[in-house]
Amino acid sequence: MSLEIVIAGVTLVSLIIYALMGGADFGGGVWDLLARGPRAKRQRQIVADAIAPIWEANHVWLILIVVLLFTAWPRAFAAMMTALHIPLTIMLIGIVLRGTAFVFRKYDSKRDSVQHRWSLVFGISSLVTPVVQGMTLGALATGDIRVEKSLVLTGFFAGWLSPFAWACGVFALVLFAFLAAVYLTLDAAAEPEVQNDFRLRAIWAELALAPIAAVVFFTSRGEAPEMYRGLTNWWAPWLLVVTSGCALVALGALWKRSFKLARVAAIGQVTTILAGWCLAQYPHLIYPDVTITNAAAPQITLKLLVIALGVGSVILLPSLYYLFKVFKGSR
């Protein structure tokens, strides 16, 4: 197996872990924004308690993805950052505003007006960021971004404003909201009424995912034909069965209040969705001009990168395990 394929596999795993952890953080921010009713304050507090110990660590995976991209595929990284610099800048602003508002809300004045201001910034940035993340991923599959000899030929608006990319953005938002609501049912275990609030939100978000996924699929036929071809490949029905099975198990477990099972099923659902997406996109990083092979860095760079990943994993993985054991071990 070539080194670029190995690194692509590591990138995929990092993307899935980022979605499962960082994505759920964004979803928590969405539920913070939408907290309503007599238990709104407790809902927000549980979201904050769930996110606070780990939200910075969760972005390690996004940083790792960026490092892998610009080290292993520098030509692809340059093209992505050029063609998609508008949504990526919005994404970065969203991440910064979100983290800043989260910290300031905790340490600033407790007056309602001040808390409301920081909550609004936190919630809106949590809503916007996953949408542009989904739009960015969608844009890479449209074929609208053309690259020749490391130069982007199609300007700064190609692909990411298409209906297909918008559908991908909405899908990412609802998927992260679903994941967060499932996780929060366990964080709210000591308060049955609040737990039920998150349970109902998880069910509604799960039900919303199916029609949105259908919109993504059918818009891909005209606007991202290579992605559509991938999603109708021989392996696609099998992956669809697994994904649908996870979704049904999650839905049934939420209905019966078996929250740990729902969490396992939700993780399986998100993992298979992202794995299927990347399989459909393979071998392209930017369809149709940039692939994992033709944009790869020299072999010596890839070898050193693989060594660095091995050494880094010895430090990173035990550290993250300890962090989660301390703050999430009992949940």
Side-chain angles (χ1 to χ4, degrees):
M1 185 180 294
S2 64
L3 289 175
E4 54 265 34
I5 298 298
V6 172
I7 297 169
V10 175
T11 308
L12 170 60
V13 171
S14 303
L15 179 65
I16 291 172
I17 297 175
Y18 177 65
L20 292 173
M21 299 166 77
D25 285 357
F26 288 115
V30 172
W31 295 125
D32 184 288
L33 180 68
L34 299 179
R36 293 290 184 276
R39 294 182 291 278
K41 194 170 182 179
R42 283 305 302 153
Q43 292 167 9
R44 289 197 178 98
Q45 188 58 51
I46 286 172
V47 169
D49 291 344
I51 293 175
I54 55 171
W55 69 275
E56 290 172 303
N58 287 342
H59 283 289
V60 165
W61 298 102
L62 178 61
I63 295 167
L64 177 59
I65 293 167
V66 172
V67 170
L68 290 173
L69 278 174
F70 75 64
T71 307
W73 301 283
R75 192 165 72 87
F77 179 80
M80 289 177 191
M81 295 303 116
T82 303
L84 298 170
H85 79 272
I86 294 175
L88 289 172
T89 301
I90 295 171
M91 181 189 80
L92 289 175
I93 291 172
I95 290 173
V96 172
L97 283 179
R98 182 175 173 277
T100 306
F102 186 72
V103 173
F104 274 70
R105 186 174 68 172
K106 182 174 178 60
Y107 294 104
D108 202 350
S109 166
K110 298 303 177 187
R111 282 187 290 119
D112 286 347
S113 60
V114 176
Q115 290 291 303
H116 177 72
R117 180 181 65 206
W118 291 124
S119 293
L120 201 60
V121 175
F122 174 63
I124 291 175
S125 54
S126 296
L127 187 145
V128 171
T129 305
V131 172
V132 291
Q133 286 175 335
M135 292 171 73
T136 300
L137 274 181
L140 297 175
T142 59
D144 292 343
I145 300 173
R146 300 308 304 265
V147 182
E148 183 178 320
K149 296 180 180 178
S150 301
L151 293 176
V152 176
L153 306 177
T154 43
F156 303 133
F157 297 94
W160 65 277
L161 289 175
S162 65
F164 170 71
W166 275 104
C168 292
V170 174
F171 183 78
L173 173 66
V174 178
L175 186 68
F176 290 167
F178 160 70
L179 197 59
V182 172
Y183 289 175
L184 288 166
T185 57
L186 290 165
D187 289 292
E191 300 181 51
E193 289 185 330
V194 181
Q195 185 181 50
N196 193 53
D197 292 338
F198 289 121
R199 167 180 166 266
L200 293 176
R201 288 167 190 184
I203 290 173
W204 282 113
E206 178 72 298
L207 292 174
L209 279 173
I212 299 171
V215 173
V216 172
F217 178 75
F218 287 111
T219 53
S220 73
R221 185 172 188 175
E223 298 187 358
E226 185 65 14
M227 176 60 66
Y228 180 81
R229 188 194 62 76
L231 293 174
T232 53
N233 214 327
W234 65 268
W235 49 263
W238 297 101
L239 198 69
L240 180 63
V241 167
V242 175
T243 305
S244 302
C246 289
L248 290 173
V249 170
L251 208 53
L254 287 166
W255 188 259
K256 291 184 172 296
R257 301 173 188 272
S258 181
F259 298 117
K260 289 188 177 178
L261 177 60
R263 179 171 61 182
V264 172
I267 289 172
Q269 182 181 348
V270 173
T271 300
T272 52
I273 287 171
L274 284 173
W277 182 276
C278 291
L279 274 175
Q281 175 97 0
Y282 180 82
H284 297 95
L285 293 169
I286 306 173
Y287 178 77
D289 299 318
V290 183
T291 69
I292 290 172
T293 304
N294 72 17
Q299 285 295 301
I300 183 61
T301 303
L302 299 180
K303 286 179 182 176
L304 292 172
L305 180 58
V306 170
I307 293 170
L309 284 170
V311 174
S313 66
V314 173
I315 301 169
L316 175 67
L317 296 180
S319 302
L320 288 175
Y321 171 77
Y322 184 66
L323 176 73
F324 277 83
K325 185 178 180 183
V326 169
F327 292 105
K328 297 284 187 180
S330 61
R331 297 170 190 169

